[in-house]
Amino acid sequence: MLRVLMKKQLAEVFKGYFFDAKKNRMRSKGAIAAYFLLFIVVMVGMLGGMFTSLALSLCGVLTDVGLGWLYFALMGGIAVALGAFGSVFNSYAALYLAKDNDLLLSLPIPVRTIITARLVNVYLMGAMYAATAVVPAVVVYWIVAGTTAARVIGGVLLFLIVTVIVMLLSCLLGWVVAKISQRLKNKSFITVLVSLLFIAAYYFFYFKANDLLQDILLHAEAYGEKIKGAAYGLFLFGRVGEGGLLAAVLVFAVTAALCAVVWTVLTRSFLSIAGAGGRTEKVRYVEKAVREKSVFGAFLGKEFARFTSSSNYMLNCGLGILLLPAVGVLLLLKGPAVCEALDSVFAASRPGATPVLLCTALCMMSAMIDTASPSVSLEGRSLWLPQSLPVEPKTVLRAKMSVQLILSELPMLIAAVCTALVLRTAPAERLLLVVTPLLYAAFSAVFGTVVGVRMPVLTWTNELAPIKQSGGVVIALFGGWLLSVILGGLYLLAGYRLGAPLYLLLWAVLLAAAGLL
């Protein structure tokens, strides 16, 4: 039974490789092989290659000064962080709040068997991510420092310890997410917030990582002494990779003890979490008047409710809603320096290029708001419902278009006004810098609706198919970017002869006419 459950868990993880949710059918053998080949290229080629390069840059320098343990502490810490964050949502969904909990618990299967199968799944997923960092670290160390029996044993033990720590952290974080999830009414906004925080943290550490590593390499001995004094456990953890057998025994014993604690907590709390249906509250009915809505208002509210109820929809089709105001505020702070840099490059040969290029940048970010394109496809098999109502089709489509229009125009207005305040140009040019991006956002909403009607995907089984994989979304997104590039590129090629005000005015008229058409 354990083998069957483990096979089921892995099949759920890799379901997308075998089943086409967009076409609602199994993929061909060639497509399955291509997907797995792409997976290997990404995991081994890209991630593995990136961490191999990092290991090569650290290993020689640190081992030469006798700080091989610091090398393993750094690479092991990266592996733990990567594995834990890579598998935390898998552990949340597969271990605690899986959709088949009620079914499995109703069968004559011991609860410990269910927990074991899901723990193995969590371990394998975490180990897969962690291996892309810890395996290159161990192999590079063996090549640079040489191989001995103790180092080989230490490297293998380090891999096991890292993957077990990843599993423990995934279980802990997944438990926290599951507990929070039970108490939330609208989980979509929390999912979006956590995802955005994770993306922001990733890019923050990505841009800071090079400076931090350079600082560590320059002051390696000082950092080593501080870590030994303040965090002796990290020293022992790093010594495992060097082949320190005593350190390996101590760290392995602590890890095993933590595994026992986690197992005990899981077996005692699994039923209370897996069998919970979320918090329910008694609501007292209070009679109140309901304001009647117009037909258009009702459909508009329906579309906004769909958007705010899906974290996938908000993240993939609404990222520009946050980026545009953020860029506007950034321009208020750093705008003069940006304008000065652009003027120094283009002022002599392409006068007036700065406002046009800033307008291009705003339009490119506005293209990342593309809610209208998948909105028709998201009706799915329920498309007949709005079609059967005594409502004109254009009313339904205008509601879908208006959602993107509302979501894009206000952020664009904020960003465009901030940009216009930074520029030191004529009032007419500043006004056009505001009007042109607003007309571009309006055109994008209309264009996205047209593309969504012309290229619908209605047979999906997973909402990610129409949101991320439909041809209409691809055309709306990349077509918007291409149009933005044309706007800036034509000016640099020949449009500068007209001057920025006239050039932007022509584009404003063109976008307005195309949108109306």
Side-chain angles (χ1 to χ4, degrees), residues 180-296:
I180 295 174
S181 177
Q182 287 181 317
R183 290 166 170 78
L184 294 177
K185 293 183 179 179
N186 193 334
K187 302 175 184 179
S188 300
F189 282 109
I190 301 299
T191 303
V192 171
L193 179 62
V194 171
S195 301
L196 292 175
L197 289 175
F198 177 75
I199 293 171
Y202 168 79
Y203 280 104
F204 175 79
F205 286 110
Y206 177 81
F207 289 113
K208 293 289 184 180
N210 187 50
D211 294 336
L212 179 61
L213 289 176
Q214 291 296 330
D215 187 52
I216 290 175
L217 292 177
L218 289 174
H219 308 93
E221 295 182 359
Y223 278 110
E225 292 299 325
K226 288 181 180 180
I227 292 174
K228 277 186 182 181
Y232 194 73
L234 285 177
F235 168 71
L236 293 177
F237 176 76
R239 280 286 298 153
V240 175
E242 284 189 308
L245 296 183
L246 178 59
V249 171
L250 292 174
V251 175
F252 195 81
V254 172
T255 306
L258 291 175
C259 284
V261 172
V262 170
W263 173 260
T264 302
V265 174
L266 267 178
T267 53
R268 292 182 178 180
S269 63
F270 179 77
L271 284 176
S272 64
I273 297 178
R279 187 178 64 174
T280 57
E281 296 181 355
K282 292 183 178 180
V283 179
R284 182 182 178 185
Y285 174 74
V286 178
E287 184 178 354
K288 57 183 179 180
V290 178
R291 184 178 179 182
E292 183 180 0
K293 293 183 180 179
S294 64
V295 174
F296 175 78

